[in-house]
């Protein structure tokens, strides 16, 4: 891989992928929403240039980038990946359409491969929606948007001259993330000395540190095969309780987690839903950072940032 386009390049995952690509000598064109966006997390990266283009104007990208023959188009831009907009059906359906438009745009620019950032929420949503008598909540609308994007993009890609790889991120965490997702919020409770209360935490889960996520996307860009799904995870999915205890023992051995005080309203995915065999066999990728080590790195970053 010599040249890549990255949308959502200043986001948590996108910025780290940019860093990994540049480290490996790839020339990166970073696509950012507008000039008001914070780009400190990619500032100063060698071989990186910035282009401004909003998602709803993604089809104009060929006029903003004069270069052609890109090896990979990485698509991370997605409105409402966290917060209340996860429950906004209009926004999430627009995201699916914008992803399809990004795919067609990548093809027009001569990109050889389109790597999209999917989510384990796709599988959770499918299970929650199609299970008889289930009662999924509004946040599953985000997963429905991702599902719709994949269902639309796969046939489009096969009608064009571009390879589509769909990367399913389990749960990315680590230094640089500001959202109140599980690992971040739990570590902040540990730092503040707050009670550690959880569901029974018997549902299967997986986490992967952000540096490994970036390495995984680089590997998919290099070696990913068309029409393949690549799950990006630790390769050691297990009940959430085991992750919580590993974090607690690494960061706060004196604390006592309490399980069962909070009701669980989601779905429990089978362990095979987290299977990482494809990315290991096709792309030669295996994570290198344990959950305990990643938790320590994240806590150090939070302490130095707050």
């Amino acid at each position: 891989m010599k040249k890549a386009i990255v949308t959502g390049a200043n986001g948590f995952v996108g910025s780290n992928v940019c860093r990994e690509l540049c480290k490996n000598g790839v020339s990166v064109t970073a696509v950012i929403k507008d000039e008001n966006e914070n780009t400190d997390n990619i500032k100063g990266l060698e071989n990186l240039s910035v282009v401004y283009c909003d998602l709803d104007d993604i089809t104009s990208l060929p006029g903003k980038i004069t270069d052609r023959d890109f090896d990979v188009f990485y698509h991370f831009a997605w409105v409402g990946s966290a917060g209340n907009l996860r429950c906004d059906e209009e926004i999430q359906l627009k995201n699916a359409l914008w992803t399809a438009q990004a795919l067609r745009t990548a093809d027009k620019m001569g990109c050889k491969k389109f790597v999209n950032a999917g989510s384990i929420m796709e599988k959770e949503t499918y299970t929650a929606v199609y299970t008889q008598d289930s009662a999924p909540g509004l946040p599953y609308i985000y997963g429905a948007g991702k599902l719709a994007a994949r269902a639309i993009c796969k046939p489009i890609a096969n009608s064009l001259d571009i390879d589509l790889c769909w990367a399913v991120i389990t749960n990315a965490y680590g230094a640089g993330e500001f959202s109140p997702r599980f690992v971040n919020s739990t570590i902040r409770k540990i730092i503040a000395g707050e009670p550690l209360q959880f569901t029974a935490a018997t549902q299967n889960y997986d986490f992967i540190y952000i540096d490994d996520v970036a390495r995984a996307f680089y590997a998919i860009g290099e070696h990913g095969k068309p029409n393949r799904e690549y799950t990006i995870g630790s390769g050691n999915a297990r009940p959430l309780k085991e992750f919580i205890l590993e974090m607690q023992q690494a960061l706060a051995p004196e604390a006592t987690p309490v399980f069962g005080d909070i009701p669980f309203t989601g779905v429990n995915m089978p362990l095979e839903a987290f299977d990482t065999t494809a990315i290991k066999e096709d792309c030669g990728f295996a994570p290198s950072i344990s959950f305990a080590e990643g938790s320590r790195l994240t806590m150090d970053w939070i302490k130095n940032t707050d």
Side-chain angles (χ1 to χ4, degrees):
M1 186 188 342
K2 296 181 179 179
K3 296 190 297 184
I5 297 174
V6 181
T7 69
N10 61 330
F12 176 50
V13 176
S15 62
N16 281 278
V17 171
C18 285
R19 192 171 295 112
E20 181 69 18
L21 293 173
C22 291
K23 184 178 76 174
N24 284 279
V26 179
S27 177
V28 176
T29 300
V31 181
I32 310 294
K33 179 181 178 181
D34 57 48
E35 296 182 8
N36 296 319
E37 292 281 297
N38 189 336
T39 58
D40 288 348
N41 51 5
I42 56 172
K43 189 178 294 183
L45 289 179
E46 191 174 353
N47 295 324
L48 181 140
S49 58
V50 174
V51 171
Y52 299 103
C53 185
D54 201 341
L55 260 180
D56 65 3
D57 195 32
I58 195 70
T59 56
S60 71
L61 200 57
K64 299 174 184 285
I65 300 175
T66 57
D67 203 358
R68 291 294 182 271
D69 299 320
F70 287 90
D71 296 293
V72 184
F73 189 114
Y74 288 98
H75 188 55
F76 297 105
W78 190 276
V79 179
S81 58
N84 292 334
L85 288 179
R86 286 171 73 96
C87 307
D88 188 316
E89 66 271 20
E90 184 174 347
I91 285 294
Q92 297 306 332
L93 287 173
K94 282 183 177 179
N95 277 314
L97 177 59
W98 291 329
T99 302
Q101 291 174 341
L103 173 60
R104 289 189 181 277
T105 298
D107 178 68
K108 287 180 180 178
M109 297 180 69
C111 297
K112 300 177 183 67
K113 184 182 294 184
F114 188 92
V115 178
N116 190 76
S119 168
I120 195 68
M121 277 292 291
E122 295 173 48
K123 298 183 180 183
E124 293 180 18
T125 299
Y126 185 90
T127 301
V129 170
Y130 287 99
T131 298
Q132 194 81 320
D133 300 320
S134 65
L138 288 174
Y140 282 104
I141 292 173
Y142 162 76
K146 288 286 188 181
L147 269 175
R150 193 200 299 214
I152 294 169
C153 285
K154 198 166 184 180
I156 290 176
N158 284 294
S159 73
L160 303 174
D161 189 26
I162 188 169
D163 293 342
L164 173 65
C165 296
W166 204 270
V168 175
I169 305 172
T170 53
N171 288 280
Y173 73 98
E177 184 187 22
F178 291 93
S179 76
R181 298 199 313 144
F182 183 81
V183 172
N184 254 8
S185 59
T186 301
I187 291 177
R188 291 180 188 279
K189 287 178 181 177
I190 289 174
I191 294 172
E194 297 176 7
L196 301 180
Q197 297 172 303
F198 306 98
T199 66
T202 56
Q203 69 270 33
N204 292 322
Y205 236 73
D206 199 6
F207 295 94
I208 180 165
Y209 191 72
I210 187 60
D211 290 4
D212 280 333
V213 174
R215 288 178 50 243
F217 272 103
Y218 175 71
I220 295 170
E222 283 277 49
H223 306 292
K225 298 178 181 179
N227 293 314
R228 298 282 277 170
E229 171 191 301
Y230 293 108
T231 299
I232 298 177
S234 72
N236 185 29
R238 49 207 156 110
L240 177 59
K241 185 175 183 177
E242 295 185 21
F243 284 104
I244 293 171
L245 290 174
E246 185 177 348
M247 182 194 298
Q248 173 261 318
Q249 290 163 12
L251 305 184
E254 73 290 345
T256 304
V258 177
F259 296 97
D261 278 7
I262 299 173
F264 174 61
T265 58
V267 295
N268 187 18
M269 301 297 296
L271 287 174
E272 52 263 31
F274 301 89
D275 183 37
T276 58
T277 300
I279 193 170
K280 181 178 181 180
E281 292 184 348
D282 288 358
C283 308
F285 170 78
S288 60
I289 300 173
S290 71
F291 188 62
E293 181 185 357
S295 296
R296 283 191 289 267
L297 290 169
T298 306
M299 175 180 264
D300 291 343
W301 176 78
I302 291 174
K303 285 181 175 179
N304 292 327
T305 303
D306 287 356

